Amino acid sequence: MHDLPWLLKPTDNFNERCSMLASHKEPVREILALANCALTINQSNRLYRAIQKLSAEIRAVLYGTLTPFKLGIVSNATMDLITPPLVTAAMRNGVNLEVIIADFGQVAQEALDPASKLNQSKLDAVLLALDYRAYSFFAKDSAPFEGKSSHKAFSYLQQIRESFTNNGGMICITQTLACPPYELSGNFDAQLDGMLRRSITEFNLTLANDVRNSADVMLDVSTMANMVGTCQWFDERQWYTSRVPMANTFIPFYAEYLTKLITALRGKSKKCLVLDLDNTLWGGVIGDDGLEGIHIGQGHPIGESFLAIQHWVKTLKELGVIIAVCSKNEKNTALEVFQKHSGMLLQEEDFAVFIANWEDKASNIRRIAEILNIGLDAIVFVDDNPAEREIIRTMLPEISVPELPKDPSQFLGILCAARYFEKIDFTADDAQRNAQYASNFRRQEIQKTAPSLEDYLISLEMHIRFAPFDEMGRKRVVQLINKTNQFNLTTYRYTEAEVLQFEESDQNITFQIHLQDKFGDNGMISVVICRINGDCLEIDTWLMSCRVIKRRVEEAVCDELVALARSKGMHKLRGFYRPTEKNKLVKEHYPQLGFEFAYSNDSGEVWELSIEQYQKRNPPIKVEKSSVIV
């Protein structure tokens, strides 16, 4: 998997295309097309250097299309080689990555000194790129077989993490440890206290459990090395001569998986999996082969291969990924497989949207995005047909379309390895996501027959709850802050540590807002962060899930904000609008709520609302729980 087989191979004229970037009529589009290929370390270097030679204007346009992220790296190894593959992989995943690497081996110095380069760099995260050689497993003062080495190693890592958090305010990306292929007592290495294999196993398990309950995240290097084989992962000649921690061949693989994690931190992991049916979810063509002729289920090698894919899809659904179908088929014929074939694991109700017809797939996928109210860049489309894949890549370049081999037994390995749906947490809302989108589809159907919008909203019987940020909702708050683009007034991105600071500060007022209606619980659908500035309540962040747009929820939120400000003797609300490529939806948000334009600057527009003159909106939403104590 180290050669990223889910991506297209670069074209034969890759080097020439890099050298011609400056004169290309669409240089940004060309850069992204090149970065979207499975690049070797040399190809990544070439593209990286070509980008650095472009004019500042072109690079500014390029970076404007990407989400910024500032990453520091400390390591016991040489990490300079990783920057070009890391930056190009980040572009592939929609991120403009700025990398700051500390001097070789300066891990503790950078962490413990508040004035160090990394602690002063206002990073979004710091990567603790430490392998087993950074710890005390082989320390001279460690008595053999005592079983304390993993504890010492973990305590050291804890100290580094806490120091960076306290001194630099950033989260830490920690690494599990790959175990080198050295054995002293054979199979007994895994059983005897103090042996390297057992110590690394203990360390990795302790780290995974600890990170799960913290704001930090974990890059599972141990799994990566196992995927490609530790005999290949470690290159001792390279380590002894230049302190490079892994074989050069695997650096693009490492960079890809690290940027997938960064992508998840920015809320840019994919949300929706759209599937073809014939030869993608089962073997054969239902329209030609009939129910008896297709292969799915136990007892046949092809059927079992596709059953494994259905297991993967089912698990993704349970993890909160939206599942949809886009197939060229007669719909009733396609549905018959789900209704009648005993080998099927997936059922019709597993899909939030099911489109089977003879229209072109690009149009149908646009339709799916509209129904779900998500961006095309949130979609992964899986199809066994190379021609269909190429059409979608050409017509809808925002969509991720993995390459697949002809052999269906290899599909699952490649789809899993692509890590399109990288997660850093799992919330109650994730577990309910498909049901929530399916309910939304039913709401849309009812809206079509309602006499008026007001009648439709009343018929929903909506209830809203306001509550300050708390531990239970914190991960969902961070999730929404980092992935909401369209209904987001300022698009400020905050880490879990920063959200905790808002939660604990006396100078901030926070709302997590939940909505329920007769179709079910929509979960946490909006987040607001305010700061107190004299007699004015300033709205730093106001965002809302697109699932509840046009239901007058923002009016209920405004009523609550005004009531809260009034209860605290304040006289004014001040809102900020920072325009981006994706938040044009809320350009008129503040004027529509009665705010008046105050001024604009380089950051955007400032709007103000007089509390005394505000007329309560009273949308048809019952306030079940208010934050205002009367």
Side-chain angles (χ1 to χ4, degrees):
M1 294 299 167
H2 69 280
D3 55 352
L4 317 181
W6 56 91
L7 299 174
L8 287 171
K9 300 297 181 190
T11 55
D12 292 339
N13 63 343
F14 177 84
N15 292 350
E16 183 182 352
R17 291 173 67 182
C18 287
S19 64
M20 299 295 288
L21 275 179
S23 59
H24 197 281
K25 61 181 180 181
E26 293 184 88
V28 170
R29 187 182 178 93
E30 177 72 349
I31 290 168
L32 295 177
L34 293 170
N36 208 31
C37 296
L39 304 181
T40 64
I41 188 169
N42 289 336
Q43 289 165 332
S44 295
N45 287 335
R46 185 175 293 276
L47 177 58
Y48 178 79
R49 290 198 303 271
I51 294 171
Q52 300 307 308
K53 291 177 182 175
L54 294 174
S55 68
E57 290 77 13
I58 294 176
R59 280 185 280 131
V61 174
L62 169 65
Y63 299 149
T65 65
L66 306 170
T67 300
F69 195 95
K70 197 171 183 180
L71 177 72
I73 299 178
V74 288
S75 181
N76 64 311
T78 302
M79 297 297 287
D80 300 283
L81 284 176
I82 197 176
T83 299
L86 199 51
V87 170
T88 52
M91 286 181 185
R92 180 186 308 138
N93 290 291
V95 173
N96 173 27
L97 190 66
E98 181 182 354
V99 181
I100 300 173
I101 300 179
D103 293 337
F104 175 82
Q106 297 296 297
V107 179
Q109 294 88 333
E110 284 288 335
L112 299 174
D113 181 3
S116 71
K117 179 169 70 174
L118 295 189
N119 279 328
Q120 290 295 307
S121 293
K122 299 186 183 305
L123 302 172
D124 292 302
V126 59
L127 170 67
L128 311 182
L130 309 178
D131 73 1
Y132 77 98
R133 289 164 288 214
Y135 297 100
S136 58
F137 295 123
F138 285 150
K140 292 179 181 177
D141 59 348
S142 295
F145 318 131
E146 284 188 351
K148 296 179 180 177
S149 54
S150 65
H151 302 298
K152 288 181 181 177
F154 186 72
S155 296
Y156 170 69
L157 181 64
Q158 283 289 71
Q159 185 181 10
I160 298 299
R161 289 167 58 193
E162 291 171 5
S163 298
F164 273 125
T165 301
N166 294 333
N167 295 329
M170 73 283 271
I171 65 168
C172 295
I173 301 176
T174 62
Q175 293 191 165
T176 57
L177 303 178
C179 189
Y182 312 136
E183 292 180 339
L184 299 176
S185 62
N187 292 305
F188 203 54
D189 275 19
Q191 305 169 52
L192 187 60
D193 287 340
M195 300 300 280
L196 183 60
R197 180 172 301 280
R198 182 175 175 87
S199 296
I200 286 179
T201 301
E202 291 172 347
F203 175 92
N204 287 342
L205 182 60
T206 304
L207 177 62
N209 289 332
D210 186 78
V211 168
R212 185 178 176 184
N213 298 310
S214 78
D216 293 339
V217 295
M218 188 181 80
L219 181 65
D220 196 353
V221 174
S222 174
T223 294
M224 294 164 60
N226 289 337
M227 287 172 70
V228 299
T230 52
C231 289
Q232 282 71 45
W233 180 265
F234 291 100
D235 184 332
E236 299 304 347
R237 182 189 298 273
Q238 215 167 257
W239 173 257
Y240 292 134
T241 57
S242 55
R243 289 292 189 264
V244 176
M246 71 201 80
N248 278 351
T249 308
F250 302 117
I251 288 179
F253 177 52
Y254 175 90
E256 177 71 5
Y257 275 22
L258 175 56
T259 55
K260 291 290 187 188
L261 194 57
I262 291 170
T263 300
L265 282 168
R266 276 289 178 257
K268 293 179 69 68
S269 292
K270 304 302 179 186
K271 299 176 182 175
C272 177
L273 175 64
V274 178
L275 295 153
D276 175 45
L277 294 177
D278 293 330
N279 289 314
T280 300
L281 277 189
W282 56 70
V285 179
I286 183 61
D288 295 336
D289 302 323
L291 269 181
E292 297 76 17
I294 63 171
H295 298 296
I296 179 64
Q298 297 289 346
H300 190 285
I302 294 178
E304 291 185 11
S305 297
F306 287 106
L307 183 61
I309 293 169
Q310 293 198 16
H311 272 291
W312 173 69
V313 174
K314 193 93 170 178
T315 304
L316 286 180
K317 179 199 167 193
E318 291 168 357
L319 288 171
V321 176
I322 311 163
I323 310 298
V325 161
C326 175
S327 172
K328 285 184 177 176
N329 255 310
E330 291 294 341
K331 185 172 183 179
N332 289 337
T333 305
L335 285 174
E336 195 177 18
V337 182
F338 294 90
Q339 296 160 354
K340 296 182 178 178
H341 201 294
S342 60
M344 290 290 289
L345 174 66
L346 292 170
Q347 299 300 310
E348 184 182 353
E349 55 267 26
D350 288 320
F351 301 94
V353 183
F354 194 107
I355 294 182
N357 56 35
W358 297 105
E359 296 179 23
D360 68 280
K361 290 186 178 179
S363 298
N364 283 333
I365 292 175
R366 285 196 191 94
R367 171 71 179 137
I368 290 171
E370 288 172 5
I371 291 171
L372 298 173
N373 208 357
I374 60 175
L376 291 170
D377 59 356
I379 291 176
V380 176
F381 175 60
V382 176
D383 195 319
D384 70 295
N385 188 327
E388 294 286 2
R389 296 200 296 265
E390 186 57 29
I391 290 171
I392 297 302
R393 288 193 189 104
T394 303
M395 300 289 292
L396 306 173
E398 305 95 329
I399 289 182
S400 295
V401 185
E403 275 296 278
L404 290 175
K406 292 182 179 178
D407 181 356
S409 69
Q410 304 303 305
F411 285 9
L412 181 62
I414 289 177
L415 291 172
C416 288
R419 292 196 177 181
Y420 289 115
F421 306 102
E422 179 84 32
K423 294 186 73 66
I424 55 172
D425 51 47
F426 182 68
T427 67
D429 280 79
D430 292 330
Q432 298 298 319
R433 179 133 317 122
N434 271 273
Q436 290 169 349
Y437 274 98
S439 296
N440 229 26
F441 186 69
R442 293 201 294 275
R443 292 184 190 99
Q444 291 174 15
E445 293 299 308
I446 288 178
Q447 186 176 2
K448 292 176 184 174
T449 59
S452 68
L453 178 60
E454 193 69 9
D455 290 326
Y456 162 68
L457 294 178
I458 292 171
S459 74
L460 289 180
E461 301 171 12
M462 292 183 284
H463 292 69
I464 197 166
R465 286 186 288 121
F466 299 90
F469 291 177
D470 57 21
E471 185 178 358
M472 288 291 290
R474 195 179 305 142
K475 287 191 181 297
R476 175 61 176 160
V477 168
V478 175
Q479 218 180 46
L480 283 172
I481 285 174
N482 284 288
K483 75 178 187 181
T484 305
N485 294 308
Q486 297 182 77
F487 196 112
N488 192 334
L489 274 300
T490 53
T491 324
Y492 291 135
R493 308 300 191 188
Y494 294 119
T495 64
E496 187 171 335
E498 290 168 323
V499 167
L500 178 60
Q501 289 176 4
F502 287 127
E503 191 177 312
E504 295 176 339
S505 170
D506 293 335
Q507 294 305 304
N508 290 105
I509 292 173
T510 60
F511 286 157
Q512 50 175 310
I513 301 157
H514 298 251
L515 187 72
Q516 191 163 9
D517 61 29
K518 69 178 182 181
F519 289 101
D521 191 352
N522 292 272
M524 189 190 300
I525 48 86
S526 183
V527 165
V528 178
I529 300 172
C530 300
R531 58 177 167 266
I532 298 171
N533 185 1
D535 71 341
C536 178
L537 195 58
E538 296 184 336
I539 307 166
D540 172 277
T541 295
W542 187 343
L543 57 87
M544 192 167 75
S545 168
C546 290
R547 287 182 288 119
V548 296
I549 284 175
K550 295 185 178 177
R551 291 166 67 174
R552 300 183 65 187
V553 174
E554 63 274 24
E555 296 180 31
V557 176
C558 194
D559 283 350
E560 181 76 5
L561 280 170
V562 169
L564 182 68
R566 188 174 283 145
S567 72
K568 293 182 177 297
M570 296 179 175
H571 297 100
K572 191 185 298 180
L573 291 184
R574 181 174 294 137
F576 304 90
Y577 172 57
R578 295 172 68 231
T580 69
E581 281 296 313
K582 293 188 173 181
N583 74 352
K584 295 181 177 65
L585 173 73
V586 290
K587 180 174 175 52
E588 300 300 321
H589 171 78
Y590 283 123
Q592 287 173 350
L593 290 173
F595 285 63
E596 294 185 351
F597 178 75
Y599 60 89
S600 62
N601 53 31
D602 292 342
S603 298
E605 301 169 356
V606 180
W607 295 79
E608 293 182 345
L609 179 72
S610 168
I611 299 295
E612 285 76 12
Q613 297 176 6
Y614 181 73
Q615 299 294 315
K616 194 173 181 182
R617 297 295 173 128
N618 287 320
I621 305 173
K622 182 179 180 181
V623 179
E624 188 175 292
K625 181 181 177 183
S626 170
S627 62
V628 183
I629 300 174
V630 181

